[in-house]
Amino acid sequence: MTENLFEKLTYLIKTSSAYLLDLVYPRFCLACQVNLQGTDNAYYVCLNCANKIEKISQTDACLKCGESLGPYVGTRRRCRNCETIHLKFDRAIGAARYDGVLRELIHRYKYNGEKLLVDFLAELLKNKLADENGLLKEINLIIPVPLHPARLRERGFNQSELLARYLSRSLNIPVSQNHLVRVKKLPPQATLSRPERLRNLRDAFNVKNINPFKNKNILLIDDVLTTGATASSIADTLKKAGAGKVYVAVVGR
């Protein structure tokens, strides 16, 4: 009887708080703008939009870079790029395909400063990592991909750092935010090939203190992975500083 009363009181407090917040900060889906007032949705993404996000299956992704291979999965489970280019990280894991609704949400989060989306995006990634057959047991440290100081001033926040901090709290794995720095600011790389990006990113990152990374298996966090050049450059830097394995986890792939 006491437990039932406690549950009812907890529910009333939560619903009352949500109602009051709706009055001050009306909630709507940040993908399609549908009204979320009066619902228990805490992620600012409606169920309809969330269901449109295509998760990447473990069975159809490249074992190296995490790219979804769809029906073209070969026996070696490697994409064409990873057959010819040596990326320095041990493995990359993508939660979902970077298109449609997910592309819109990440764009709003990253470039429009919609930080309210961090919970939804981080939960998407956390759920993916939970399915990775014990991978999290190997991880000693979480690191966000750092921004160049000039880019950080322009954007006002590091989108990867917010994701990493959320995952650190949820998974109870420490996060390092200041020992890896970006020392080279590059122009947009969207039109460049993977080999060109790899050349541009050589020596783009530096380790201020090697001690936190020595013999640690690291989970590198970013919002999106395209060619893998940035993650590869960071993994190379971390391994030269004494790190063990470097895994990459991204929301969009």
Side-chain angles (χ1 to χ4, degrees), residues 9-193:
L9 285 171
T10 303
Y11 175 77
L12 285 171
I13 290 169
K14 285 183 177 178
T15 52
S16 299
S17 300
Y19 175 74
L20 290 172
L21 282 171
D22 279 347
L23 291 177
V24 182
Y25 302 106
R27 289 179 300 129
F28 57 92
C29 175
L30 290 172
C32 71
Q33 285 71 56
V34 70
N35 194 336
L36 295 174
Q37 286 183 253
T39 73
D40 59 0
N41 186 313
Y43 292 124
Y44 293 86
V45 179
C46 71
L47 186 60
N48 184 49
C49 285
N51 287 337
K52 290 179 180 177
I53 294 173
E54 185 181 347
K55 311 286 177 57
I56 295 176
S57 167
Q58 288 175 294
T59 58
D60 69 358
C62 172
L63 288 174
K64 181 69 174 182
C65 74
E67 182 179 8
S68 178
L69 301 175
Y72 307 106
V73 180
T75 54
R76 294 188 64 188
R77 292 272 307 279
R78 293 284 183 111
C79 68
R80 241 181 284 178
N81 282 322
C82 289
E83 291 283 1
T84 56
I85 296 175
H86 179 57
L87 297 171
K88 300 300 178 68
F89 52 78
D90 291 272
R91 185 182 168 206
I93 298 155
R97 291 180 67 90
Y98 182 56
D99 58 16
V101 169
L102 186 61
R103 182 188 288 270
E104 171 67 17
L105 292 175
I106 290 177
H107 192 278
R108 291 184 70 94
Y109 169 59
K110 188 173 181 176
Y111 299 113
N112 294 7
E114 298 282 10
K115 297 180 190 177
L116 291 168
L117 285 167
V118 69
D119 290 5
F120 176 81
L121 298 174
E123 279 292 318
L124 199 63
L125 186 50
K126 186 180 83 170
N127 292 336
K128 174 64 176 178
L129 290 169
D131 291 335
E132 286 298 315
N133 298 326
L135 172 68
L136 291 174
K137 293 178 181 177
E138 294 185 40
I139 303 301
N140 308 117
L141 191 66
I142 291 174
I143 299 178
V145 170
L147 290 178
H148 187 276
R151 186 79 70 207
L152 183 59
R153 286 192 296 272
E154 291 169 9
R155 192 168 296 166
F157 73 107
N158 181 347
Q159 75 283 352
S160 301
E161 181 182 318
L162 296 188
L163 291 168
R165 279 162 41 190
Y166 184 103
L167 290 170
S168 175
R169 290 192 301 271
S170 299
L171 302 173
N172 197 29
I173 300 173
V175 62
S176 171
Q177 297 169 213
N178 302 311
H179 297 110
L180 175 73
V181 294
R182 187 163 191 155
V183 294
K184 188 194 260 188
K185 185 185 179 186
L186 298 171
Q189 308 284 293
T191 60
L192 302 181
S193 66

Side-chain angles (χ1 to χ4, degrees), residues 170-233:
S170 299
L171 302 173
N172 197 29
I173 300 173
V175 62
S176 171
Q177 297 169 213
N178 302 311
H179 297 110
L180 175 73
V181 294
R182 187 163 191 155
V183 294
K184 188 194 260 188
K185 185 185 179 186
L186 298 171
Q189 308 284 293
T191 60
L192 302 181
S193 66
R194 185 181 285 189
E196 288 171 329
R197 291 192 191 199
L198 287 167
R199 282 194 296 271
N200 275 3
L201 283 158
R202 196 171 294 144
D203 302 320
F205 299 91
N206 189 33
V207 169
K208 292 166 66 175
N209 179 6
I210 66 172
N211 291 325
F213 306 131
K214 276 188 174 180
N215 303 315
K216 296 289 198 312
N217 290 334
I218 292 168
L219 185 65
L220 182 67
I221 302 297
D222 207 357
D223 55 335
V224 176
L225 187 144
T226 49
T227 64
T230 297
S232 183
S233 179

